[in-house]
Amino acid sequence: MEWSIRLLACLVGILPMGSFVRTKRDTTGNLLNTEVHSAPAQRWSMQVPAEVSAAAGEAAVLPCTFTHPHRHYDGPLTAIWRAGEVYAGPQVFRCAAARGSELCQTALSLHGRFRLLGNPRRNDLSLRVERLALADDGRYFCRVEFAGDVHDRYESRHGVRLRVTAAPRIVSLSVLPGPAHAFRALCTAEGEPPPVLAWSGPALGNRSAAASGPGQGHGHQVTAELPALAHDGRYTCTASNSLGRAEASVYLFRFRGAPGAPALALPLGALGLKALLLLGVLAARAAARRRREHPVAQDTPPWPQAQESNYENLSQMSPRDPAAATCLP
């Protein structure tokens, strides 16, 4: 008993802070063995920035590092990135590393644009996103899973916000019929920051139009309406934000028939007007070619031709002609 007490005292003197000793005794009270257990020096944690910003068309890196309580873990692991919602959002990237391997084999990369930059064996899950689009704007969450002898997993709760910026782009421009044979125009544009829309046209000058609200599914899309097109001509929608501006035009022409008949409007975009003019030029050339290949026949009198006769007009013979032979009695 005295020997066991001395041994435990020596162990306590050399153990680091936070460690503890567990002993086992038999039924007689004799010491069988002693196990030394170190308390975890670290706990689960993940470090990610609050926000990462990049322009559309470029690449962005989402940093993510972690700590875990399992010292020198060398078993199978899986690295996961998901979008939108913690624990439940759709996965955009997933890779797995076998026991003892530092190569994390990619199993999922959405549209082939997501690539792991970090090394999960070194507690780094950083991700690179290629060819950014406005649809990539949102929040992303990193996650690591241990398998084998140790079953444990951890995921960042707040994630990292990816903000994608873009200059304005006109998505659609249209003219629609309204009540009482009137017409209205709709313009939809996207960009980040969300663009401001303005209309210009006949009798409008340059008038700003309030956006009707965010586009479906994304806050970077806005729509503005021009409620009444009172005059024929060109109407232009201009979208602008701090990164640039874009514009598109539509042409409105009314064809009026008999008095009392409703007017027929022909809305044409800039491309549609050019196509109409091109068709007119091609039609004129085709008509000219047909006239050259098939000229119109003219009614002209035929050239006079000498007619043959079996009779000789003796009265028209010249006096100098030799005398005809006669028979005398």
Side-chain angles (χ1 to χ4, degrees):
M1 182 69 180
E2 181 180 357
W3 175 83
S4 62
I5 293 176
R6 290 179 179 177
L7 176 62
L8 289 176
C10 292
L11 288 173
V12 171
I14 63 174
L15 289 178
M17 293 295 294
S19 300
F20 62 92
V21 177
R22 178 178 298 167
T23 63
K24 294 183 180 180
R25 297 176 181 273
D26 61 9
T27 56
T28 62
N30 295 324
L31 183 65
L32 294 179
N33 56 56
T34 301
E35 297 175 2
V36 179
H37 298 269
S38 297
Q42 295 179 334
R43 59 184 178 84
W44 275 114
S45 68
M46 281 192 170
Q47 297 79 38
V48 296
E51 182 176 299
V52 171
S53 180
E58 299 180 356
V61 175
L62 307 180
C64 175
T65 58
F66 67 94
T67 62
H68 62 83
H70 310 286
R71 288 191 174 186
H72 309 297
Y73 177 77
D74 199 30
L77 64 81
T78 302
I80 297 172
W81 279 86
R82 68 175 80 250
E85 184 180 355
V86 61
Y87 303 130
Q91 296 183 10
V92 297
F93 179 84
R94 184 178 68 254
C95 71
R99 178 181 297 275
S101 174
E102 292 199 356
L103 175 62
C104 199
Q105 190 68 35
T106 300
L108 170 67
S109 175
L110 187 65
H111 306 310
R113 298 187 298 114
F114 295 81
R115 180 168 59 90
L116 190 68
L117 283 186
N119 184 347
R121 293 292 182 194
R122 301 180 183 179
N123 301 352
D124 190 350
L125 304 177
S126 299
L127 188 74
R128 180 181 176 91
V129 188
E130 304 283 352
R131 304 187 304 278
L132 287 173
L134 283 175
D136 296 323
D137 190 279
R139 193 166 293 277
Y140 292 81
F141 305 86
C142 52
R143 176 186 178 93
V144 63
E145 298 179 352
F146 290 167
D149 299 335
V150 176
H151 291 273
D152 209 351
R153 58 186 61 90
Y154 195 79
E155 183 168 336
S156 60
R157 289 186 173 88
H158 301 290
V160 52
R161 167 67 191 279
L162 174 59
R163 184 179 299 277
V164 181
T165 60
R169 182 178 72 92
I170 304 295
V171 177
S172 65
L173 181 63
S174 58
V175 174
L176 304 174
H181 308 299
F183 293 89
R184 59 192 180 96
L186 286 177
C187 178
T188 300
E190 66 179 11
E192 184 61 37
V196 175
L197 301 184
W199 283 100
S200 62
L204 288 179
N206 193 353
R207 187 174 74 185
S208 297
S212 64
Q216 184 177 5
H218 298 288
H220 49 258
Q221 204 171 80
V222 294
T223 300
E225 177 182 2
L226 192 60
L229 308 183
H231 303 276
D232 294 352
R234 173 182 177 180
Y235 293 86
T236 300
C237 173
T238 302
S240 59
N241 66 8
S242 58
L243 300 178
R245 58 178 288 162
E247 66 178 29
S249 299
V250 65
Y251 296 79
L252 180 69
F253 297 99
R254 290 180 176 83
F255 296 93
R256 296 174 175 82
L264 175 64
L266 179 63
L268 293 172
L271 183 60
L273 182 61
K274 294 178 181 178
L276 184 62
L277 294 176
L278 178 60
L279 289 176
V281 172
L282 293 177
R285 290 183 177 178
R289 188 183 301 110
R290 286 195 298 269
R291 285 195 297 269
R292 289 196 301 268
E293 294 176 353
H294 305 284
V296 180
Q298 297 180 357
D299 296 333
T300 56
W303 291 97
Q305 298 180 358
Q307 298 184 2
E308 298 179 355
S309 175
N310 295 328
Y311 297 95
E312 185 177 3
N313 191 353
L314 300 178
S315 63
Q316 296 180 359
M317 295 180 61
S318 173
R320 292 173 293 182
D321 293 341
T326 58
C327 295
L328 294 176

